[in-house]
Amino acid sequence: MDFSRTLLLFPLATLLAAQQPPTVQTAKKFLDDAEAKLLTLGNEASQASWVQDNFITSDTESLAALANERAIAEGVRLAKAATKWDKVKLPADMERKMKLLKLGLTLAAPADPKESAEVTRLASSLEGAYGKGKYCPPNPKDEHKCFDLEDITKTMATSTNAAELLDVWQGWHSISKPYRGDYARFVELSNKGARELGFKDTGAMWRAKYDMAPDDFAKELDRLWDQVRPLYLSLHAYVRAKLREKYGAAAVPASGPIPAHLLGNVWAQDWSNIYKLVAPAGADPGYDLTDILKSRKTDPQQMVHYGESFFMSLGFPALPSTFWERSLFVKPRDREVVCHASAWDVDSVNDLRVKMCIDITAEDFITIHHELGHNFYQRAYNKQPYLFRDSANDGFHEAIGDTIALSVTPEYLVKLGFLPKGPDASKDIGLLLNKALEKIAFLPFGLMIDQWRWKVFSGEIPPEKYNQAWWDLRLKYQGVAPPVGRDEKDFDAGAKYHVPANVPYARYFLADILQFQFHRALSQTAGCPAPGSSTPLHRCSIYQSKEAGQRLNATLEMGESKPWQDALFALTGQRQMDATAIRDYFAPLQKWLDEQNRGKPVGWQ
């Protein structure tokens, strides 16, 4: 197929439609041509991005930037052209397509060709710089030894040597210093493009995507956070006291923020790696999933097959053969790749892939269930028109995989043959604490990333205040502080993938809320807890429930064709996001934490 000829024809047809009077008929022609063009350019950009992430060179960065520039430029042009029909009464589906066309960008490149090329090159180079990031100690015993993110992640997860943790924490946070200036320029150019589309800035453009006013969406996040904040405060106080016992009063204050390097994760976004330091006496569930996987000699591809089998047990068909041929499961020895786990739908139809450097751990076992959630969602809505081939909102996409991961319970492991029987209910506090260290600890981090970026995009946080504002927000929401002094030469926000990669982050906060709401509703559909049963919500698994699978698939097939409130209602019977499901799930833990914290300070100065 001659793609160059096809690309020339689509703009001409779309241009002719845009030149005709604004009617329902011309709107349909415009949308049909726009969807065909965006599909072609989107596939081209996806293929180029796949190659860039898997073969990081200056050439692949340039090729990906060029493909993304074409797709972004066309998206911006079509978004601007769509305003022509703003005053025409269109059928509901066409009206929604016009809206999504105008809101489908995370980066709106300026109309000026030089600036458009510059901002897309910056977007590509920032992601590439992050992917190539390494910490090379100044005087290592082995002069060739440097540490990439995978190495640092392992150290943060396993070490309890405070000096070692501080060293790798500082090392990783040094990788982003060189591109701080590029990021500031990127913000400037992306804002210019957003304003050309009629938005105040890029952050306002992002917030407008949620079927509600941008300011209302920000208020909705605050409402949800207020619902769960008491549980986080209890968890924070308990963990702080335990870390103070481990590392001493000089390292961890009795009533202040927790030093960021002591929480088992380089960003302090997931505390589950410190479970052994904070676990209550007698709460050992009696099994270690990592040890089980390794004792069974599980390989990376088998890890993926377990995730696929979960979805098949719900009634979903198997993944296509091309998934197994084209995915990346193991970090290559001969080149640098972006190891950050991700799920891909390269052709927006059935070319599904996962890119992940899989380790045989409990964490990656859960992660692959999550990533496949994206893939099965992508395939479920691939019959929708192109502009509806996405999740109801971006939080839904993240939540679906996590909902499946919540079903990775002891009961599920028994059905897989990993355990002879589930642990006694007396062990549930340990299981819930472990889960809370992952899920509840993440919530304020998931909220503050975009709180920071929205303020950066709006200008409330100028470049000369990037780092101070970053840590001010982390203190406010997380009660976490840097372990050493930081200044404006540092760019600690840039040491988190989603910032240089320009990936909106509110979706992850929403996903953390929605997954429990989804889990509660699907568990009830699956008959758990059964009538008269004492089984708590956190022990429910929807594995092998065809009824839950049917309800889930009916929601996934909707894609973005309806407002997310409709999709939420189809799955849960509710039209408003509701964090009470989290409180239900962790109710036994909340009671236990409050007992442990009695007489101790809660909160931070």
Side-chain angles (χ1 to χ4, degrees), residues 76-92:
V76 171
R77 190 186 69 77
L78 291 169
K80 292 177 180 178
T83 61
K84 177 177 179 178
W85 288 272
D86 282 353
K87 296 182 180 180
V88 177
K89 179 64 176 176
L90 299 174

Side-chain angles (χ1 to χ4, degrees), residues 94-114:
M94 292 173 61
E95 182 178 354
R96 184 161 182 81
K97 285 183 180 182
M98 289 290 189
K99 174 185 174 182
L100 295 175
L101 192 58
K102 289 181 279 190
L103 295 174
L105 303 169
T106 56
L107 170 61
D112 179 87
K114 290 183 179 180

Side-chain angles (χ1 to χ4, degrees), residues 72 76 105-111 119 189-197 199 202 205-206 502:
I72 291 169
V76 171
L105 303 169
T106 56
L107 170 61
V119 75
L189 291 172
S190 66
N191 273 341
K192 183 174 182 180
R195 284 192 291 270
E196 289 175 1
L197 287 178
F199 299 99
T202 300
M205 181 178 76
W206 288 2
N502 197 47

Side-chain angles (χ1 to χ4, degrees), residues 34 49 61 66 68 79 103 107 207 224 239 241 263 273 280 310 324 339 361 373 392 430 437 447 453 507 509 528 557:
S49 294
E61 285 181 8
L66 182 62
N68 281 314
L103 295 174
L107 170 61
R207 296 193 301 277
L224 293 167
V239 167
L263 289 162
N273 288 319
F310 192 109
W324 303 100
C339 271
T361 64
L437 292 171
L447 183 62
R453 275 195 292 194
R507 63 183 66 175
F509 175 80
C528 184
E557 286 179 338

Side-chain angles (χ1 to χ4, degrees), residues 412-585:
Y412 169 51
L413 300 181
V414 169
K415 290 181 178 179
L416 290 183
F418 286 11
L419 296 174
K421 65 177 182 178
D424 185 77
S426 64
K427 307 294 186 181
D428 280 7
I429 292 299
L431 291 170
L432 284 170
L433 178 60
N434 202 359
K435 183 68 71 174
L437 292 171
E438 175 196 356
K439 299 294 185 180
I440 305 306
F442 173 78
L443 283 167
F445 184 82
L447 183 62
M448 61 79 48
I449 293 281
D450 277 353
Q451 294 282 357
W452 180 82
R453 275 195 292 194
W454 294 344
K455 294 176 186 294
V456 165
F457 286 130
S458 74
E460 183 177 341
I461 299 175
E464 62 270 19
K465 297 291 186 181
Y466 275 0
N467 227 45
Q468 177 186 327
W470 173 258
W471 286 107
D472 286 348
L473 285 168
R474 296 198 68 177
L475 178 63
K476 174 183 176 180
Y477 287 103
Q478 283 187 285
V480 165
V484 293
R486 313 301 287 166
D487 59 32
E488 292 305 327
K489 292 179 183 177
D490 298 306
F491 183 39
D492 293 331
K496 175 61 180 170
Y497 168 79
H498 300 75
V499 174
N502 197 47
V503 178
Y505 211 75
R507 63 183 66 175
Y508 301 103
F509 175 80
L510 294 178
D512 234 28
I513 301 293
L514 287 167
Q515 64 189 263
F516 290 95
Q517 194 172 359
F518 292 171
H519 178 68
R520 182 170 64 184
L522 290 174
S523 293
Q524 291 169 350
T525 301
C528 184
S533 167
S534 60
T535 302
L537 180 59
H538 61 268
R539 283 291 191 105
C540 290
S541 176
I542 64 169
Y543 181 63
Q544 296 179 331
S545 171
K546 296 296 193 293
E547 294 80 5
Q550 289 171 1
R551 186 166 191 172
L552 176 62
N553 188 55
T555 304
L556 302 189
E557 286 179 338
M558 293 170 66
E560 204 174 6
S561 63
K562 303 289 183 182
W564 63 261
Q565 293 89 340
D566 292 350
L568 181 65
F569 183 80
L571 188 58
T572 69
Q574 297 174 277
R575 301 191 66 84
Q576 185 179 48
M577 290 181 283
D578 182 9
T580 64
I582 295 179
R583 302 297 296 271
D584 288 350
Y585 188 96

